[in-house]
Amino acid sequence: MEELLEKLLEAVEFGKVDQKSPYPPQLKGQDGSHEITISAIETGISPQRILEEALIPAMARVGKKFSENKIFVPQMLMSARAMGASMLQLKPFFTSGDIKTKGTFIIGTVKGDLHDIGKNLVAMMVEGGGWSIVDLGVDVGSDRFIEALRNNPGAIVGISALLTTTMVNMGEIVSSIKEEVPDTKILIGGAPVNDDFCQKIGADFYAPDPQGAVEYLNKMAS
Amino acid sequence: MEELLEKLLEAVEFGKVDQKSPYPPQLKGQDGSHEITISAIETGISPQRILEEALIPAMARVGKKFSENKIFVPQMLMSARAMGASMLQLKPFFTSGDIKTKGTFIIGTVKGDLHDIGKNLVAMMVEGGGWSIVDLGVDVGSDRFIEALRNNPGAIVGISALLTTTMVNMGEIVSSIKEEVPDTKILIGGAPVNDDFCQKIGADFYAPDPQGAVEYLNKMAS
Amino acid sequence: MRYKSLIINNPEDLMFGIAPYPVKTRRGLEIGGGQVYAELNFTLPVMSINKNTLDRVYEHYREIAEGALERAVHLNSKGVVLEFETLLEMTKTPSIGVEIVKIMNEICENYYQKFGLASEIRLTPNDLREFERPAKQRTSGYLEPMMELFEKGMIAGGDLLSIESTGGKEVSDDALMNCDIKTIVFALAVLGVRDMRFLWKKIVSAANNHGKIAAGDSACGFGNTAMVLAEKKYIPKVFAALVRVISVVRSIVAIEEGAVGPDKDCAYEGPFLKAITGIPISMEGKTSACAHLSPIGNIASACCDLWSNESVQNIKLLSGMAPTAYMEQLEYDARLMNEALRAGKLHRNVLQQLLVASDVFTDPQALILSPKNVIRISKELVKGDSYVANARNGALVAIDIIEEALASGKMKLSEMETNYLPILRDDLESIPDNESDFVEMMLPLIDPGKFILAEYGL
Amino acid sequence: MRYKSLIINNPEDLMFGIAPYPVKTRRGLEIGGGQVYAELNFTLPVMSINKNTLDRVYEHYREIAEGALERAVHLNSKGVVLEFETLLEMTKTPSIGVEIVKIMNEICENYYQKFGLASEIRLTPNDLREFERPAKQRTSGYLEPMMELFEKGMIAGGDLLSIESTGGKEVSDDALMNCDIKTIVFALAVLGVRDMRFLWKKIVSAANNHGKIAAGDSACGFGNTAMVLAEKKYIPKVFAALVRVISVVRSIVAIEEGAVGPDKDCAYEGPFLKAITGIPISMEGKTSACAHLSPIGNIASACCDLWSNESVQNIKLLSGMAPTAYMEQLEYDARLMNEALRAGKLHRNVLQQLLVASDVFTDPQALILSPKNVIRISKELVKGDSYVANARNGALVAIDIIEEALASGKMKLSEMETNYLPILRDDLESIPDNESDFVEMMLPLIDPGKFILAEYGL
Ligand code: B12
Ligand code: B12
């Protein structure tokens, strides 16, 4: 039993999606997260344990290696995909309420701004940290954030901006959210943003990178 | 009569202090502003006219040439000195109330800051524009500005700062002044300062250079 | 591809300040005619653009242009290009962009009349089409304001027309993050090429109508993005180097359609374009550290004709406004190159050699920019019959070059990097010569919801 | 003056990266030993320093040092000097300055251990004494915190000690604005020299006690101020050029008292000091455009051993924090020089020649910095028997050099400028050889309320 969890952890850590996927070379021909998850469920391992003892720790290792510059994003994405294959099997249990994520994270790039590479990375890493993600895409105004919050009560919001002329829109979005859905926690990021700006517009936290976002969110969840 | 005023204007414009001063070479041996002012008063030209029709226009020309980069500061200082020599003769008339300046300008470099080259230039040019100057020197806190304002009711205040860590002190000084002596107009300047900062701290005007300060003050006076 | 051979075959002839086909401008710049000029780029500080702030926006651009040209005069500049890269609002409402061009052009003219300083404005509207997802490259309503800005901006004084168009970006963004070189080739050599052809026909004809200069298009969202990601250690440098090479076959289409240079700076495909087509180019390196960090600070200037800072906000530094400070830095860089050009062949060769040698083996992205390697890669980039084949061949020889540098011991790369080389080579080798074969191969692999084939005439 | 002849007599030997007496540091830098290193300078953004902001202040310096060293490693830097020039509060309350040194030293050590990157901190307390007016150079209570910061800052990891001391500034400020060259000589060659002797005795003995390096003192408030004023067109450039030459006799006193270099950057008297004493020097030019504009962007580097940016606030640029961006720019500049040094004599000579020729005739302040002219002026600066005579002689030959350049037609200056040359020459020629004669001549001309003679031992 423990062995299966360990194998799953390894498959996700190294990005092995399923048996026929060629990547990574050293696991060629072996089962991927898809197959291992199916076996694990069959063996009666609880989905909550699968999530908490295999998937999340695997992604935590991936995140750590990434922040130590020991792997590149493509490798991280492979792991995310392996985790995704596993999650697909776990989906019914989420719906039934048998497992819970740490919470919901709503993320979007601010009104007027189309830069989303950074935002997508953050979304992926946060998902890997055990959160449900609602990705609103780019060019997102306050209404859409608020709507998403109404649909996901208690969710935490993340906003990204890459332009000096769109980061100011964050201010307006933050006030609207705080007014319409008080107590919402808002996390901001993106190249031109910094801590001073975060404080100025009344957002709750600024993180310079995905790892910072994950750490903050985990603190919120615990 | 008109001729004397014209000669005085020329003496100040070109920085001829008195007969024996060697500068400028082209006026060598001729009377300087010292002598011409004495003659003018003797001839019965009103001190107010001397100020308004010779000294101030002379310094305006000097200021214009300076801002067009046609003369250097040393030449401007010579003119200021020539004006000073004339003013010395006019002093009794100021005290008696026979002539009036445009107003009083209180200037100082902000608390914690010792840079005063720029501030001194501003003071000199404003003086040349027909204002009385109260120069508080460097490292000046709000008390000293307020004290000076109490001694010179209705004066306009100028504050200079050259350090990113002292310009913030301007904010505190501006609020203290506005609280203690409401309606005081405050002008700020110095290399790190700009218009946005001026608005942020609630000062009335920012000028990047002495000419800007003179223009603003003259608008206030008229 | 129209080009079948190189205009510059000898690495020694790939030299800063000298292009086979110089571009002469209205106020007398001769770009590529024996001088390097500074190209200053700038943007707004943190602020929004709306009715209430418009005056302040205009004021910023006025201040930028005045400060920069004043400094250029002070430093006896031989001439300056001001690049005005618009922000969203300035393209969506073209009258805003046009007004800014007008303001800056007046200042340019003033400095020309008063001090004889030659300067021109490069007008670079941002590509609005990507606001729709999936983007409608050909049928988008956004095309109209973009073209209006080009048209009226020219009349207002924009002399050099550029854009960083985004055709293919819908698929390349993910491909960059996945280190998926085949999809990069698809994005650039199929989609990018097709969109460039569509767009540049329009731009060139607009320019010709007004007697203005269709300058060029840099694959910023591809080459520059790859470099920024590699500098963050997000993707391998070897991969980023290949992206740059592949982007050449996309950016060359502007020239095939009639653009004459100076090519834009930010994807660094310029040296290849210069070798192949002979047009002058703009490049950016150490002095664009205000806009992004890079591994090619010196080598990037080896054959530039304009030398740019990519972009800097109009904020206060201790000396004055940042664009003024960067103007000064660019001028001194340009002065050094111009002095070498003046001093003669030995001097310019030595300077170029130092610029190249100081960076070349520190990073694969630098490596491929040495004049020798540029020529070698360029030869591959024109050999084949299709853009696809050329892209593949160029990238393959770039891998050869990287491997040779590693084998010689002159360049060192971590295993994390070198592990990617065989994978990338295999991927590239699987690409067929023929565009339609390649499209057939790729379509099943790409999320069809991401882009609209018809918008690329496919 | 102790120095009677030059250590470097041949302009060809006045070369970047090479000093007759290199300085070796704790973590292995060999300044002047065949390499040029970057010297990064930085300061706080707009904020106040008080109890409530102290944590943020520390955080800024941590962020600066981390960002800069991380970038230096990424660029394979050969080594870095971080200059920590304190702001008022950090000297007045030395524990603040010491804490910042500690924070940065830890980061330096960490990068040394982890990546082998050699770096050292130059600790430059600001001269508090000028807070009293007239200043009490010798008896001021402010001396104590200054010396405490030196002492404890060394223990905390400050290895190179510098200051920009202000002796004589009480009279030079006005003299600069009045273009009064005799008072400048008085301020620098009498008051400055005397104060330097007093102050540097202390600093050298403190350094020796701790096995640290007494580096040097730059006449910032004189030479740099003159240049900034001349760039603003407030005072003539020819005058600013002379101020720089005169400042040499003041700054050399640090070395006479035992300082060994690297001399500080900002008054540009370094090349003369290097020629006369053989110590390595720091210089700044185009890449200090963040701190002030200058007419000597390239030529300033002709014989530098450290290459500095003077100062930049820790604010965000588009690429990242400004100190990180400037670190990158300095590194690329240094790389170019280092590659020339590596490539050999021809290459380094050509590069130096280009750096010199590109600026030399554009401004008298550049003119006097060409190695040839540095040697020629330096010879005059050591010929006489007193600091006063040397200052005068140096300035006079600088006028000769300017006039020759004008006569040859190679340099052009406006009449506004040239008009000052005969006046300055006359003024200088009226200066006697002997210090006490000169003091006697000057005292009646200077406002006695401005300074206290006894504080200079007069
Ligand atoms: C890639 C890129 C593009 C691509 C975008 C592709 C995409 N799908 O995102 C394209 C080419 C389309 C593009 C277009 C434009 N761009 Co652009 N672009 C860039 C570039 C080169 C890299 C950005 C990037 O992806 N970085 C990599 C990612 C991983 O980093 P990141 O975004 O900073 O995100 C990280 C962190 O910030 C953080 N983070 C990000 N978001 C969030 C959110 C939260 C909640 C948290 C906690 C953390 C966090 O985590 C991420 C991972 O570490 C930058 C240059 C630069 N130096 O940044 C210019 C840049 C941002 N662009 C710029 C400009 C001007 C534009 C255009 C206007 C250009 C034009 N005239 O056409 C258009 C604007 C389009 C629009 N309206 O948005 C300027 C901005 C100038 C300014 N005024 O602010 C820049 C700085 C380039 C420059 N130097 O001039 N661009
Ligand atoms: C000269 C100078 C000094 C001299 C000061 C001499 C004096 N009596 O003023 C000396 C050597 C003493 C000095 C000391 C220091 N300085 Co200092 N100094 C300068 C320098 C080189 C020039 C400033 C100057 O006089 N400019 C010329 C004048 C004419 O221009 P200006 O002051 O901007 O004034 C004009 C306008 O701004 C305007 N204006 C000015 N005031 C006002 C007021 C009003 C009301 C209006 C309307 C307009 C206006 O009109 C003026 C004329 O056009 C600058 C560099 C620079 N780039 O500015 C550094 C600089 C300002 N100093 C700096 C520093 C760090 C210091 C020290 C802390 C150095 C040290 N570690 O020892 C100390 C601090 C002392 C203190 N507590 O104040 C930094 C500031 C960094 C920061 N964080 O902000 C600078 C930017 C140098 C640098 N690049 O690092 N300095």
Side-chain angles (χ1 to χ4, degrees), chain A residues 164 190-194 196 206, chain D residues 45 56 60 70 316-318 321:
Chain A
T164 54
V193 179
N194 66 12
D196 294 340
Y206 157 75
Chain D
R56 188 79 193 94
H60 271 293
E70 152 101 44
K316 246 194 180 181
L317 297 180
L318 298 169
M321 301 312 286

Side-chain angles (χ1 to χ4, degrees), chain B:
Chain B
M1 236 164 100
E2 299 308 312
E3 204 194 321
L4 269 180
L5 285 175
E6 234 160 72
K7 278 190 109 176
L8 180 57
L9 197 156
E10 193 192 4
V12 173
E13 179 179 354
F14 294 100
K16 181 78 179 167
V17 177
D18 54 27
Q19 208 205 332
K20 62 181 198 303
S21 83
Y23 185 87
Q26 78 268 24
L27 298 180
K28 207 165 183 169
Q30 299 189 24
D31 278 353
S33 62
H34 172 76
E35 293 85 4
I36 306 173
T37 308
I38 295 179
S39 311
I41 296 173
E42 282 172 3
T43 331
I45 304 183
S46 89
Q48 191 77 33
R49 282 194 65 202
I50 296 181
L51 182 68
E52 285 178 3
E53 294 175 31
L55 303 188
I56 294 180
M59 286 307 285
R61 285 194 200 167
V62 170
K64 185 157 179 289
K65 281 194 277 186
F66 179 66
S67 59
E68 289 168 352
N69 296 321
K70 287 185 180 146
I71 56 170
F72 290 119
V73 169
Q75 287 141 301
M76 199 160 78
L77 288 171
M78 290 305 287
S79 292
R81 234 168 273 140
M83 175 166 177
S86 180
M87 294 287 269
L88 211 62
Q89 302 306 320
L90 299 183
K91 208 165 187 183
F93 303 95
F94 283 103
T95 337
S96 68
D98 276 355
I99 33 177
K100 289 207 192 81
T101 60
K102 294 187 185 157
T104 301
F105 184 56
I106 300 170
I107 189 165
T109 298
V110 85
K111 189 99 218 144
D113 205 326
L114 300 177
H115 294 84
D116 62 358
I117 295 178
K119 180 214 69 183
N120 294 346
L121 277 177
V122 173
M124 190 213 16
M125 290 283 284
V126 170
E127 185 163 35
W131 290 72
S132 304
I133 300 294
V134 177
D135 187 341
L136 302 176
V138 296
D139 193 21
V140 185
S142 47
D143 343 346
R144 290 186 48 217
F145 278 111
I146 290 165
E147 191 194 318
L149 268 168
R150 295 248 152 84
N151 295 334
N152 298 279
I156 294 182
V157 170
I159 321 178
S160 178
L162 263 287
L163 296 168
T164 54
T165 48
T166 58
M167 62 185 274
V168 285
N169 296 343
M170 281 182 167
E172 189 254 304
I173 295 177
V174 168
S175 354
S176 300
I177 292 179
K178 296 265 175 183
E179 201 183 304
E180 297 286 321
V181 195
D183 298 331
T184 305
K185 291 284 174 208
I186 305 174
L187 183 59
I188 64 171
V193 179
N194 65 13
D195 212 32
D196 294 340
F197 182 75
C198 172
Q199 282 174 26
K200 195 175 133 198
I201 65 168
D204 297 286
F205 194 70
Y206 157 75
D209 47 34
Q211 299 87 287
V214 171
E215 277 164 30
Y216 172 78
L217 287 170
N218 285 346
K219 228 170 45 199
M220 287 296 106
S222 64

